[in-house]
Amino acid sequence: MAKLGRPANGGRRSTREFQYQFFDAADPPVGALDTYWNEEGTLPEIGLNYDRDIGPWSLALVGLRSQDPRQYHEEAISTDASGAVEEFTIQDIEYENVETIVRGTLSRVLNADHRIEFGGEGALNTLDSALSLTVDDGGGPVLQPIPNSNIVVEEERAEFFGVHSWTLSEAWSLETRVAWETSTLTFTGDANNATELAFWKPSLQLTHNFGGESHARVRLYRDVGQLDFNDFASAVSLADERIDGGNPDLRPQSDWRFEFGADLRFPGGAALGVTLTHHDITDVNDLVPLTATVPNPDENPGVPGDETIEIIFDAPGNLSQAEAWSLNLSLASPVPLIANARLMLDAEFWDSEVADPVTGAARIISGQPESSVEIGFRQDFPDMRWSWGFDFTREGEIQGYYLSEIDTTEEGSWLELWWETSALPNDMKLRITAINAADRVYDRDRIFFDGDRNGSRVGRQITQRFYQTSPWLTMRLSGAF
């Protein structure tokens, strides 16, 4: 029920520097923030597959173990309008994700109309996270307590399932599936507790085949989302002056889905996929305000009762109920009037509604993009052994509803133009790519409220972030020797 985030490659090293300049409504500068951060990590991973036929049964076994240790260091310097340093902050985070999974399936064909499959999966996932934050405002560095930032999480998870596929006729088929998932989450460190979870996940899908290779389907099923282990441990956004809280009480989101889908094939090689889904969601994963009691970094030993303070911060949490619709489209098609050209499209659209835990008003779910579009184009010239094309992506705005802030972000269009040729000795291939050809701009709009979002609006921060180089070129030469 939890997932471990990890980089796509076997290692990671990244260093970045940012400078933010702040202006008031009349445009005179009121200060600046310079940040530097460095992240390092590796990803050793090993996997094993084993397949074998045992009489009429087919056995498949899969094992996977991955380990993802990382170190993160960030520094932030705040200055006033004259350039004088007001505050110097350092954040260090060390954490390690370890994931071990074993999965097995056993399937067989009973006859021409029936097939059955049984299986199970066991997993052991762990997260060990430690954070240190110091702030120096002129009186020397002071260690700042951050709730749920030093924590060890262990999950033991098991899932068992069975599937029956029934071919009713040449045009109709029915698939019935039932799964049961259980897990135990144990927390030690800043939080010390254990949570046991269990879910039934039934599914019923009816499919109608028509027109040769086209088919339409209706499906009713229960889906249980995965928890991201990083949502259990807190970190600090120095540029935002905000705790990105961790919440050990977070539960996985579950929803009943009624889905209508179709995969259509057209003459000439075009294919269109459409899926419309209604979501009835329980334990909605969103943002909630939490309160924690921590040691007072400015404790005065001479004042009794001054040893601790209360901190209110935002963290991933659960809301009760939500309703949503989603539409997924995929298209792959030759391009009329352009020889040897093909267009690919993937798009997703969301409309959601949940009751806000602060105001009680209806709003969309935090963190869910309203839309996402990916377009790819490719044209081949086989006689000359070269091709060209582009990849375009655009994601709609994302809103985060914090206790006293609405944070809206939207990234502009991302465009990559490429040209490649294999007309080289030894069948080597050269690919040249112009990255960020559309000069993407990152827009952010933060609206602040007095106390919480029931109060009056007290401020607004509008940020635009640009890439220093746009576009930039990459060249890749590959081949077999």
Side-chain angles (χ1 to χ4, degrees), residues 4 48 54 79 82 98 100 102 175 194 197 292 328 340 355 386 389 437:
L4 302 179
L48 297 173
I54 305 175
T79 55
S82 66
V98 181
T100 304
V102 177
E175 181 183 276
L197 303 169
N328 294 77
N340 301 317
W386 65 269

Side-chain angles (χ1 to χ4, degrees), residues 238-261:
L238 300 186
D240 296 340
E241 298 182 337
R242 185 172 70 198
I243 296 176
D244 294 327
N247 184 4
D249 294 322
L250 182 67
R251 293 174 55 87
Q253 173 178 294
S254 66
D255 63 309
W256 282 96
R257 302 184 182 184
F258 182 74
E259 175 183 293
F260 171 78

Side-chain angles (χ1 to χ4, degrees), residues 71-152:
Q71 299 81 41
Y72 177 87
H73 176 81
E74 183 177 12
E75 300 176 3
I77 301 174
S78 298
T79 55
D80 61 18
S82 66
V85 175
E86 294 183 320
E87 190 174 87
F88 179 53
T89 306
I90 296 177
Q91 178 175 215
D92 287 291
I93 302 175
E94 291 190 12
Y95 63 97
E96 182 175 39
N97 290 336
V98 181
E99 182 178 30
T100 304
I101 297 176
V102 177
R103 178 184 175 89
T105 61
L106 197 61
S107 62
R108 66 170 293 179
V109 176
L110 299 178
N111 53 45
D113 298 328
H114 297 273
R115 180 183 181 276
I116 57 174
E117 180 179 2
F118 303 97
E121 178 178 290
L124 176 63
N125 302 324
T126 62
L127 169 68
D128 188 346
S129 179
L131 179 147
S132 172
L133 179 73
T134 60
V135 176
D136 186 349
D137 58 5
V142 177
L143 185 65
Q144 303 294 311
I146 304 299
N148 300 332
S149 61
N150 295 279
I151 194 168
V152 177

Side-chain angles (χ1 to χ4, degrees), residues 1-4 99 125 155 157 185 226-229 232:
M1 295 177 186
K3 65 178 180 180
L4 302 179
E99 182 178 30
N125 302 324
E155 180 197 39
R157 175 173 58 85
L185 290 160
Q226 290 186 315
L227 293 174
D228 189 331
F229 266 25
F232 296 134

